[in-house]
Amino acid sequence: MARFRLRTLRRFAFFLLLAALTAIVLRWISLERWHRTQVARDVPAEIEIPEKTPTPSQPSKPPVITGRLDTARLFSGITVHATVDPIPGGAASEERADPQSYVLDLKLHARVPAPNKTIEELAKVSPELPRLLPGLAAMLTPDSVSPFFKELYDTKLKLLQENLVRLDQLLSRHNFYDCQTVLQLRHPESHRRAVLLQSDMDVDADGSDSDRLPAGSGASPNFKPVTSFRWPKKSLIPNAYLPPLEEKLKRYEGELSVKGTAAERKRELKGAISQLRDEIESLKRYSFLIGATDPYIVLPSGLGKADGGKVGDYVVVVFGEVIYPAIVGDIGPSDKAGEASLRVAKEINANATPNNRPVSDLKVTYLIFPGTADPPFGPPDLEKLQARCETLVKEIGGASVPLHHWENIIPPLPSPTPTPTPMPTPSATPASSAATPAAASMFAFPLPSPTP
């Protein structure tokens, strides 16, 4: 009996010692793992991209995410893999004080697309393109890819890096992959240059011109009454969007004059006031394209610097079996490609609105002709636009279908009530009558002359 008890005690002591050794080893392993994760930790917000330059240097202080954010409900279309990795630690009071005890590592894997280079690749997304523009194949070379394509996606990646800790503001999957290719082309015989951009189509409803449409054309949530394409006003009719801007300016100036306004708020107000004054002055002096009535496209900022496309250049937009003439009417963000006026969008898809794009797939081809702008600018001459684009298309091999013909949809202005005017002197009459036809020929839609 004594031997049995002694043997039992020895076994119990052995198992107790073994359990203690196992606990020590596990504790040592967990501490080593924790130590290695702290030593080898990369930037908390990191983008992992194959064959890219090294990641930027580590910030001095890692960003902290606070507030409510449901990663499962991200609208950006990002696939989320979520796991929790528990690591044995010390006392709760110690771990609470250590910022490295509770860490979320963010790593966004983004595949950078390759541009289409051949007519066969272009036809995969736009099957009718080779037939509509038969001379396009002769303009493609192995070196046709524009450097702007890489610049565009580098800009997108930079924005992802800057906003990675703001998950609800990341570019959506749709907007990240919004450009299929950008090609620099030149016809071998006519030497006519062209820039081909294959993308989807978002909607631009900006712009205003009180000379042609005094009441305005409505406003979307992101509406701006100006476009990059502008010209001096030709009438005394005030812009319909001036009163709300002047009211906002008065409100900001009143807030700025209050003595108790915080210094940071004053800096914000000064910047906003300066911007409002510039916009008000522009609306008083200039007229602009109107997104709802004028056919134009929007180029991403930076494309002109890389390939030469600028405001006022002529463009053809190819979708399906139709070729639409247009002009470059505005410059958009540097990280976004594929945008046209509401007039073009509705012609392609009657359901298009400022918040509903007409084409979501990358099936729209924009063909820009650099260096073709005709300054000084004025209201769009739709017949001239038609003839100019037809000539440019012929210089790249022609088209197998007639170009779409735009009709003027702006209602005519009411005839002004005639007022008696003093008879002009004989010397002034020839100069006045000679100037009237020349001025009227500059515009697509003749405007009544302002009363002296």
Side-chain angles (χ1 to χ4, degrees), residues 26-27 30-31 34 86-96 98 101:
L26 290 176
R27 177 62 176 170
S30 65
L31 289 176
W34 178 84
I87 302 173
S93 58
E94 297 175 356
E95 301 296 1
R96 176 184 285 184
D98 186 356
S101 63

Side-chain angles (χ1 to χ4, degrees), residues 187-202:
H187 195 270
E189 297 178 1
S190 67
H191 303 292
R192 167 59 62 190
R193 293 177 56 230
V195 177
L196 185 149
L197 189 148
Q198 203 171 51
S199 181
D200 57 6
M201 181 179 286
D202 291 323

Side-chain angles (χ1 to χ4, degrees), residues 216-448:
S217 58
S220 62
N222 299 319
F223 174 81
K224 294 181 180 179
V226 301
T227 60
S228 301
F229 190 107
R230 68 181 189 180
W231 60 93
K233 279 181 60 62
K234 302 299 179 181
S235 81
L236 301 178
I237 304 174
N239 192 294
Y241 300 102
L242 271 173
L245 292 179
E246 292 173 334
E247 178 63 29
K248 183 184 291 187
L249 175 63
K250 186 184 300 184
R251 189 167 67 251
Y252 284 177
E253 289 175 338
E255 185 179 352
L256 183 64
S257 63
V258 176
K259 293 183 179 180
T261 305
E264 183 177 355
R265 176 58 178 166
K266 284 186 175 181
R267 286 193 296 269
E268 295 176 355
L269 289 171
K270 288 179 180 179
I273 288 172
S274 177
Q275 183 176 350
L276 281 171
R277 285 174 177 170
D278 290 343
E279 191 167 348
I280 289 172
E281 184 64 21
S282 294
L283 292 181
K284 289 180 177 179
R285 296 178 56 190
Y286 298 102
S287 290
F288 308 88
L289 295 176
I290 305 173
T293 63
D294 300 329
Y296 66 85
I297 72 165
V298 181
L299 286 187
S301 175
L303 180 61
K305 183 178 179 181
D307 297 320
K310 290 181 173 58
V311 172
D313 284 341
Y314 290 94
V315 178
V316 291
V317 180
V318 184
F319 178 73
E321 299 185 357
V322 186
I323 303 175
Y324 302 90
I327 57 173
V328 177
D330 211 349
I331 301 297
S334 59
D335 64 317
K336 182 179 181 181
E339 190 173 4
S341 67
L342 182 59
R343 177 73 190 276
V344 178
K346 277 193 168 296
E347 192 66 32
I348 290 177
N349 185 342
N351 295 323
T353 68
N355 300 316
N356 182 34
R357 62 176 64 91
V359 184
S360 292
D361 297 327
L362 305 180
K363 295 183 177 182
V364 185
T365 300
Y366 305 84
L367 204 60
I368 304 108
F369 299 98
T372 58
D374 293 328
F377 298 151
D381 184 336
L382 298 179
E383 297 303 323
K384 178 182 178 181
L385 171 67
Q386 181 87 18
R388 192 75 177 94
C389 286
E390 287 176 350
T391 300
L392 292 169
V393 169
K394 288 179 181 178
E395 293 180 1
I396 61 170
S400 61
V401 297
L403 270 61
H404 175 80
H405 185 268
W406 296 106
E407 298 289 345
N408 175 31
I409 61 174
I410 296 181
L413 294 174
S415 301
T417 304
T419 55
T421 56
M423 292 296 293
T425 60
S427 59
T429 302
S432 176
S433 61
T436 302
S441 65
M442 295 174 59
F443 304 100
F445 321 120
L447 306 172

